[in-house]
Amino acid sequence: MGQIIANTIKQSITELVGHTPLLALNQYTKELQLEAEIIAKLEYFNPANSVKDRIAKAMIEDAEARGVLTKDKTIIETTSGNTGIGLAAIAAAKGYKLRIYMQDGVSEERTKVVKAYGTEVVPFSDVPEMVAAFEETDGDFVETIKVFRETVVDKEDNVVFLNQLDNEANPNIHERTTGPEIWADTAGQIDIFVAAIGTGGTISGVGAYLKSKNPAIQIIGVEPAINSIATVEQPDIIEITGVHRFSDAQEARVPSNVHLDRIDEVLEVETEEAYKAARTVAQTDGVLVGTSSGAALFVATTLAKRPENKGKRIVVLFPDTGLRYLSTDLF
């Protein structure tokens, strides 16, 4: 009688979130003649193709566990794209209604993908109070969310606002999954971890876990340089979508999920530098990633060039797929 094979058929895409692979960027490091090892955590292997699938699942299941989220309620969230896509996929799989308030100016693919899952999409520009707040604060996302809560969330019944900026399920899931995955897959052989700072959940959660295993591991944040941030006066500046600058921000404008005390250093990246890195790794290693990944790779490359990092292992997190940027100038 033949051997009985265990049934490994998954019953929901929620079971596919996490356990993404690490890939050594051997051809990239060879091409640039780097003397440190760069390994990428490929988060586009998540079912909806980004690191945000992790927090989408975590925030929804946390709301379920607390009894806040029930089938008669609509989930709402504000996003520049990937969180909305992750939520749309998980909400569809779990049978929840979802409404996403999407930041204006994001790539066309983001809106189309969210709608493909059956999710309602509302542009920020459809909420005049948010537009005013965005302009008055020169594009500050934290202040704009406060206005969103007052003008939308508090005025509607039967909605659940997940609020990724302040939701503890965000960094917690990275401390429970992303960090342990990196530690296990490297057998603890990691010197530096690099990630872009968006809501702060990824770097704060992974940083907390890795530091708990080895305090000597350097946690390096990535933020946009001043010249790569759009303003009311210069709205046409091309930004690094989903990556925010907090190192010199007022404390009131730093989301609670950005734990700067867990970050050893923050390095700046211009959008064009992020573009160049993303284009290069696509051609050297066949890894097609987005602008935020390019930004993180640029910083990892900068670190790899430092004499003190010769022979060290740098793990850099790539948040999403380059397929989400084909309508932009990235490629």
Side-chain angles (χ1 to χ4, degrees), residues 25 29-30 33-39 192 300-301 303-306 309-314:
L25 302 180
T29 54
K30 182 179 178 181
Q33 299 181 322
L34 303 175
E35 295 186 276
E37 185 180 16
I38 297 180
I39 297 175
I192 301 170
T301 306
L303 295 168
K305 292 177 179 178
R306 292 180 178 176
N309 291 331
K310 181 179 179 179
K312 291 186 177 180
R313 173 176 282 176
I314 302 169

Side-chain angles (χ1 to χ4, degrees), residues 8 19 42 63 74 83 93 100 143 149 168 185 200 208 262 267 281:
T8 57
H19 304 289
L42 303 180
T74 298
T83 300
I100 291 296
E143 294 293 338
R149 184 182 287 279
E168 291 183 358
D185 289 348
R262 299 177 186 175
L267 297 180
V281 77

Side-chain angles (χ1 to χ4, degrees), residues 84-271:
I85 293 170
L87 286 172
I90 302 299
K94 285 177 168 285
Y96 289 112
K97 294 179 182 177
L98 172 66
R99 186 190 316 138
I100 291 296
Y101 290 80
M102 188 83 79
Q103 186 175 337
D104 292 78
V106 300
S107 68
E108 183 182 348
E109 292 89 343
R110 282 169 156 74
T111 302
K112 286 186 174 180
V113 172
V114 170
K115 288 181 176 179
Y117 287 113
T119 293
E120 179 186 359
V121 178
V122 180
F124 277 15
S125 54
D126 281 7
V127 185
E129 295 89 348
M130 288 184 73
V131 175
F134 202 70
E135 292 178 352
E136 288 171 12
T137 61
D138 208 13
D140 181 69
F141 205 64
V142 176
E143 294 293 338
T144 304
I145 295 306
K146 290 179 182 177
V147 173
F148 173 75
R149 184 182 287 279
E150 295 168 0
T151 59
V152 177
V153 180
D154 293 345
K155 293 185 177 180
E156 190 170 351
D157 295 327
N158 292 322
V159 296
V160 177
F161 177 38
L162 297 177
N163 194 8
Q164 59 177 322
L165 293 182
D166 294 324
N167 194 320
E168 291 183 358
N170 179 351
N172 288 350
I173 194 62
H174 291 294
E175 189 169 358
R176 291 204 311 269
T177 65
T178 320
E181 288 170 25
I182 292 170
W183 181 260
D185 289 348
T186 60
Q189 300 304 304
I190 169 177
D191 300 293
I192 301 170
F193 174 70
V194 179
I197 305 174
T199 63
T202 302
I203 195 166
S204 297
V206 174
Y209 182 82
L210 293 180
K211 288 282 192 183
S212 75
K213 303 301 287 187
N214 180 3
I217 296 173
Q218 295 290 292
I219 307 300
I220 310 297
V222 179
E223 69 179 10
I226 292 292
N227 293 331
S228 294
I229 299 175
T231 63
V232 174
E233 292 76 21
Q234 294 180 297
D236 296 329
I237 289 177
I238 298 175
E239 296 187 316
I240 303 172
T241 303
V243 184
H244 303 289
R245 185 182 179 93
F246 297 118
S247 65
D248 53 4
Q250 300 172 21
E251 188 175 345
R253 294 188 175 186
V254 178
S256 61
N257 284 334
V258 178
H259 296 279
L260 294 173
D261 59 324
R262 299 177 186 175
I263 303 172
D264 294 292
E265 186 178 0
V266 178
L267 297 180
E268 298 181 344
V269 181
E270 299 287 3
T271 302

